[in-house]
Amino acid sequence: MRLFSSVLIVCAGLVLAACTPESRQGLPEDFRIAPDARFIGAWRGGNEVGALQGSEITARLVVDPAEPLDLLLAGEENWRSTRGVNHRDIKGVLRFYDIAGRRVVAIRRLDGAADEQTWRFAIYRFGGGDSLLLYFMDEPRLRQLIFNGALYGKIRGGEPEFPDLLITAEPDKIAALIRSSDPAALFTARLGPLARDAR
């Protein structure tokens, strides 16, 4: 899902197609930190295994001159679904948070209609050779939390194989979920590795 053409980030966390949960709200400003400078630049890559299999991304990330704590992204995403290959150009913003030692990147798409400008949350890891892996929230786990009433949200239309989850909880409730959860269990939808694109 050339998920956010930036890290998509997003990501997407971007992006992003319907296989990673989206949120109407971002995260609390109290946890906001400066952007991780390693994200800045051009990225290319995708997944051949895992939950986001078939996603491909090209993205460029730059510091927003008007909001230095934001990174702006522009790029493309391609992903496969039961309807074939999908493509779109994307724009978005990345914000960084530290929640109880968990470094989280929040990615918001800025293209499309206002009601589509939702957030996606991921943790990330840089590897050898300047590669980047993103791990978005686990859809089955979030769906179970919503069904059990432990988190406010709903399932929107979409393909049966890829439920489209929308978290409607307030930012502090989302932060509490991140703080109280094992990151390896909450963030499982891998995107990457992405590699720096020298072109």
Side-chain angles (χ1 to χ4, degrees), residues 4-198:
F4 267 156
S5 232
S6 112
V7 177
L8 333 253
I9 281 54
V10 57
C11 350
L14 81 182
V15 65
L16 282 321
C19 49
T20 58
E22 299 172 81
S23 175
R24 184 68 66 203
Q25 304 285 334
L27 293 171
E29 286 295 304
D30 292 350
F31 299 109
R32 188 101 177 265
I33 60 173
D36 189 326
R38 295 175 294 177
F39 275 76
I40 297 170
W43 296 91
R44 177 178 295 273
N47 271 11
E48 290 305 321
V49 297
L52 302 182
Q53 182 175 352
S55 60
E56 296 177 352
I57 296 170
T58 57
R60 179 169 295 278
L61 289 160
V62 299
V63 174
D64 183 349
E67 295 288 344
L69 287 182
D70 289 350
L71 295 184
L72 297 177
L73 74 87
E76 300 177 343
E77 62 179 339
N78 293 298
W79 71 98
R80 293 190 295 268
S81 72
T82 56
R83 297 175 184 155
V85 177
N86 304 274
H87 168 85
R88 65 181 159 205
D89 296 324
I90 56 173
K91 294 181 181 179
V93 63
L94 280 71
R95 291 183 177 169
F96 293 79
Y97 299 84
D98 186 327
I99 300 175
R102 295 158 171 83
R103 293 294 173 97
V104 177
V105 58
I107 304 168
R108 185 177 191 187
R109 292 203 30 210
L110 298 178
D111 54 298
D115 64 348
E116 296 175 354
Q117 295 183 5
T118 53
W119 293 93
R120 295 179 196 260
F121 309 116
I123 58 174
Y124 58 92
R125 185 173 73 228
F126 286 90
D130 210 10
S131 66
L132 171 61
L133 283 166
L134 291 159
Y135 296 87
F136 289 86
M137 285 184 159
D138 182 78
E139 184 275 323
R141 177 163 183 173
L142 268 288
R143 180 170 47 178
Q144 192 63 45
L145 290 172
I146 291 169
F147 282 160
N148 292 341
L151 186 71
Y152 289 127
K154 60 183 179 179
I155 297 179
R156 304 182 294 185
E159 298 181 0
E161 298 87 352
F162 301 106
D164 190 1
L165 280 186
L166 179 66
I167 302 165
T168 58
E170 293 300 315
D172 62 323
K173 301 295 185 186
I174 303 169
L177 172 66
I178 293 171
R179 184 170 45 247
S180 64
S181 298
D182 176 0
L186 182 60
F187 296 94
T188 63
R190 190 191 87 190
L191 177 67
L194 305 178
R196 289 213 179 266
D197 189 353

